[in-house]
C-alpha cells in the first residue's frame, strides 16, 4: 500500500508498504532517517520516540498505515521544528505541512560516531559544527548528557515536547515526561540537568 504523511513538515509518500510494517521501519529503511533507533521493538526503551501529531510515541509500535494523513517529527527535523516554533508559533506547534525540514535536508543530519542526531553532517568537506541545533540538543551537549548516544534521539524528542507544553517543568514533571526512555550509560542525572538547563535558557529568552 501507499502511505501519505507529513514528515518534519513536508508531505511525503512511502510506496509498497507492507501492512505490518512499523513507522520505525518506514522512517529508517524507506525514508533514510536513521535517527530513531531500533532497540527493543516492544515500546519499552523509548529509543525510537517520534512525535505523531505532536504527541511522543514509540514508532516501533505504530503501524505505518496508521500515519496516513498525519504529521511526524523526528530528531532529524528537531532543530528546524524548534526554531520555527519559536519564531512563528511561540508556545505552540506547526500546522501539518506548514513548516519543517525536507527529507533531503534531514538526511544530512547525523552524529559523529554515535549517530545521536546532535550535529549536522559535514558538507563540502566542512566540519558542520556551526550548524544550528535546537535548544534541547545544545543543552544535552553543554550538560554532558550524551554518552553512547543510542537513547539520545528519543530523549531529545520527548524533552522537546515537554518544554513546548511546560516552560517551567519541575523535576517531577521532567521525570514523568522521560519515564518511557531508558538510558544505560548516564545514570539520568546529567539528562535531567540538560532539561533543566534548556528550560532555564528558554525562560531567559522570553
Amino acid at each position: 500500500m501507499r502511505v501519505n504523511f507529513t514528515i518534519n513538515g513536508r508531505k511525503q509518500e512511502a510506496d509498497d508498504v507492507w501492512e505490518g510494517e512499523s513507522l520505525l521501519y518506514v522512517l529508517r529503511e524507506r525514508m533514510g532517517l536513521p535517527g530513531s533507533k531500533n532497540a527493543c521493538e516492544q515500546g519499552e526503551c523509548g529509543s525510537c520516540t517520534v512525535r505523531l501529531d505532536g504527541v511522543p510515541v514509540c514508532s516501533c509500535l505504530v503501524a505505518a498505515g496508521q500515519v496516513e494523513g498525519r504529521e511526524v517529527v523526528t530528531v532529524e527535523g528537531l532543530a528546524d521544528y524548534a526554531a520555527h516554533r519559536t519564531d512563528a508559533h511561540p508556545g505552540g506547534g506547526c500546522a501539518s505541512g506548514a513548516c519543517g525540514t525536507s527529507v533531503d535536508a534531514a538526511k544530512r543530519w547525523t552524529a559523529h560516531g554515535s549517530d545521536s542526531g546532535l550535529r549536522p553532517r559535514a558538507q563540502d568537506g566542512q566540519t558542520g559544527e556551526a550548524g544550528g541545533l535546537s535548544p534541547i540538543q545544545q543543552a544535552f551537549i553543554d550538560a554532558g548528557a550524551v554518552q553512547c548516544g543510542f537513547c539520545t534521539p528519543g530523549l531529545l524528542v520527548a524533552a522537546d515536547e515537554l518544554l513546548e507544553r511546560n516552560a517551567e517543568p519541575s523535576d517531577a514533571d521532567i521525570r514523568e515526561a522521560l519515564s518511557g526512555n531508558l538510558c544505560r550509560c548516564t545514570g539520568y542525572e546529567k539528562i535531567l540537568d540538560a532539561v533543566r538547563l534548556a528550560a532555564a535558557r528558554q525562560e531567559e529568552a522570553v
Side-chain angles (χ1 to χ4, degrees):
M1 64 179 175
R2 174 178 293 173
V3 179
N4 296 278
F5 63 111
T6 299
I7 179 168
N8 295 328
R10 298 286 187 256
K11 293 188 180 301
Q12 302 293 334
E13 63 180 39
D15 289 321
D16 300 321
V17 174
W18 172 58
E19 292 179 359
E21 275 184 29
S22 67
L23 172 59
L24 175 61
Y25 184 89
V26 169
L27 292 173
R28 290 179 60 84
E29 306 301 331
R30 296 186 182 278
M31 297 286 108
L33 301 174
S36 305
K37 295 295 177 280
N38 186 355
C40 71
E41 293 189 281
Q42 297 178 357
E44 296 290 337
C45 71
S47 295
C48 66
T49 301
V50 300
R51 293 182 70 170
L52 179 59
D53 291 340
V55 179
V57 298
C58 290
S59 57
C60 69
L61 297 181
V62 178
Q66 291 180 284
V67 302
E68 175 69 31
R70 301 174 74 181
E71 180 178 15
V72 175
V73 175
T74 71
V75 69
E76 289 92 345
L78 202 59
D80 284 349
Y81 184 79
H84 180 89
R85 180 179 63 218
T86 299
D87 293 340
H89 310 288
C94 295
S96 182
C99 52
T101 306
S102 68
V103 169
D104 286 342
K107 285 179 180 177
R108 292 194 294 268
W109 281 79
T110 187
H112 299 288
S114 64
D115 190 23
S116 60
L118 285 172
R119 288 185 170 84
R121 180 181 297 164
Q123 299 181 44
D124 301 324
Q126 301 301 310
T127 64
E129 292 297 317
L133 297 173
S134 72
I136 190 64
Q137 288 172 312
Q138 189 62 56
F140 264 62
I141 292 172
D142 295 342
V146 181
Q147 289 192 22
C148 82
F150 204 83
C151 67
T152 305
L155 284 163
L156 289 169
V157 172
D160 182 72
E161 187 275 339
L162 166 66
L163 294 175
E164 179 182 289
R165 61 182 165 82
N166 184 352
E168 300 179 20
S170 66
D171 281 1
D173 294 330
I174 298 171
R175 290 175 185 276
E176 181 178 357
L178 303 184
S179 62
N181 298 80
L182 300 182
C183 175
R184 295 174 175 85
C185 300
T186 64
Y188 296 99
E189 193 55 43
K190 289 188 179 295
I191 293 170
L192 297 176
D193 287 344
V195 181
R196 294 179 189 118
L197 177 60
R201 287 174 173 172
Q202 182 173 279
E203 184 177 0
E204 290 174 1
V206 173

